Amino acid sequence: MKPLKLMLLSAAAGLVLNACSSEAPATTQENSAATTESASAGTDKRVLTIGSDMTFPPYEYLDEQGNPGGVDVEIMAKVAEINGEITPKWEDTRWANLIPGLKGDKFDVLYSSMYITKDRLAQIDMIPYYKTDISLLVRGDSDMAPQGADDLCGQKVGAMKGTEFVNQLGKISAKCVEQNQGAIEIREYETSPQTSQALLSRAVDIQYDDAAVMKAAEMKLGDRVKITSTQELYPIVGGIGVKKGDTETYQIISDGIEQMKQSGDLEKLLSVYGLTVPTQADIDQIMN
């Protein structure tokens, strides 16, 4: 497998996803991706079909050859290596199809940089493995330098359609109105790359997205964009989803993640993009 930085720089998918989205009606066509790992000839490994919206670098994306890449792909490959009896098969689909696909047995696992929320825990089981926050991205030539939530009042802000980002912006906007600072004009786009294109084309002035995704965008686009946020917005824990009652799959992934924590491999992979391993207090707060 290629080193993470090389894989990111070769990604043609552009920027994003989200992983972090709220569920919305399916509106885009599903696109099946090639599997990252193949069982060796003569072996009889269990194939784990993994549903993912692979438009969200550095978490998960398709490279120029259509192969899955990103932090999450590397972590899952390591989990498979630790277990020794599974082979990941990645399936690219749009965000709205993920939880319904898992419930309908189309996928064994959801691995799409998915934020853990109470609503999701009511539908699926989730294994926490990373902590992230929001970053604010503006054009490189912009005079704007929004540092936190208050700086979004009265501005045109782009976010991915149907995501938790939109819900967060709605809450921030409501506070803006209460403080007589002007509502946020929230503009929604199907993917994070499309949101970034809207920023570059001046349809919006700020992009509101996952911190690691915005770091990847900044690396890819160079001086065309810049991250200006310095304040904490919505720190949150993300996880890997499995169907309720599927204790076998849950244990395989949970054991692998725990071993990666103990070895330091998980922290090493996450830290490249400013992500951290959640503390037990972080996990207890979101899971209980």
Side-chain angles (χ1 to χ4, degrees):
M1 181 169 291
K2 299 178 184 176
L4 175 59
K5 290 185 179 178
L6 291 179
M7 291 170 64
L8 175 65
L9 293 174
S10 68
L15 318 170
V16 253
L17 174 48
N18 168 325
C20 358
S21 308
S22 301
E23 286 65 54
T27 56
T28 54
Q29 238 181 354
E30 190 171 313
N31 177 29
S32 213
T35 178
T36 22
E37 303 283 340
S38 298
S40 302
T43 63
D44 187 22
K45 296 184 179 181
R46 176 188 172 191
V47 175
L48 280 186
T49 302
I50 303 171
S52 183
D53 187 332
M54 307 194 78
T55 62
F56 209 50
Y59 293 102
E60 57 276 319
Y61 57 84
L62 299 177
D63 66 17
E64 292 176 345
Q65 288 73 46
N67 298 315
V71 179
D72 290 348
V73 175
E74 291 207 25
I75 291 173
M76 193 63 210
K78 186 65 177 178
V79 169
E81 179 186 324
I82 289 169
N83 177 266
E85 296 181 358
I86 60 170
T87 296
K89 180 185 178 186
W90 291 83
E91 294 285 344
D92 180 32
T93 188
R94 298 292 67 83
W95 182 265
N97 303 330
L98 291 174
I99 290 180
L102 181 68
K103 288 181 173 181
D105 295 323
K106 186 164 189 177
F107 311 124
D108 300 306
V109 176
L110 299 184
Y111 204 161
S112 196
S113 46
M114 182 176 280
Y115 293 173
I116 298 175
T117 66
K118 299 298 184 184
D119 287 343
R120 290 190 186 125
L121 289 173
Q123 301 181 70
I124 63 176
D125 289 331
M126 299 192 74
I127 301 155
Y129 73 100
Y130 78 101
K131 185 177 180 180
T132 188
D133 199 354
I134 298 298
S135 282
L136 306 176
L137 193 74
V138 301
R139 290 181 296 277
D141 61 359
S142 175
D143 294 330
M144 299 179 62
Q147 296 182 9
D150 290 344
D151 297 327
L152 301 177
C153 297
Q155 305 299 330
K156 289 186 295 185
V157 182
M160 188 174 170
K161 184 178 181 179
T163 64
E164 189 63 23
F165 304 143
V166 175
N167 294 335
Q168 292 168 0
L169 282 169
K171 294 174 184 177
I172 295 171
S173 184
K175 289 182 180 179
C176 291
V177 173
E178 288 175 4
Q179 297 167 2
N180 296 316
Q181 296 185 47
I184 300 170
E185 185 178 339
I186 305 169
R187 297 190 176 182
E188 301 179 45
Y189 301 89
E190 290 293 338
T191 67
S192 286
Q194 289 179 11
T195 311
S196 296
Q197 286 303 314
L199 177 69
L200 293 173
S201 66
R202 302 180 184 273
V204 297
D205 295 314
I206 303 168
Q207 182 172 356
Y208 181 103
D209 214 316
D210 181 275
V213 174
M214 293 295 84
K215 181 62 177 177
E218 190 179 50
M219 290 176 64
K220 182 179 178 64
L221 295 172
D223 60 7
R224 298 177 68 193
V225 297
K226 57 187 176 183
I227 294 171
T228 60
S229 49
T230 59
Q231 300 172 16
E232 188 175 84
L233 282 108
Y234 278 93
I236 196 163
V237 174
I240 304 163
V242 299
K243 190 175 183 180
K244 281 193 173 294
D246 186 358
T247 55
E248 180 182 359
T249 303
Y250 186 99
Q251 202 63 49
I252 287 171
I253 297 174
S254 181
D255 287 349
I257 293 295
E258 185 58 34
Q259 288 192 46
M260 290 183 70
K261 285 182 183 178
Q262 296 302 320
S263 68
D265 286 341
L266 185 61
E267 182 180 9
K268 184 178 179 180
L269 283 170
L270 293 175
S271 65
V272 174
Y273 287 96
L275 301 169
T276 59
V277 178
T279 65
Q280 190 58 50
D282 292 330
I283 293 171
D284 291 343
Q285 183 176 13
I286 192 64
M287 300 294 285
N288 299 326

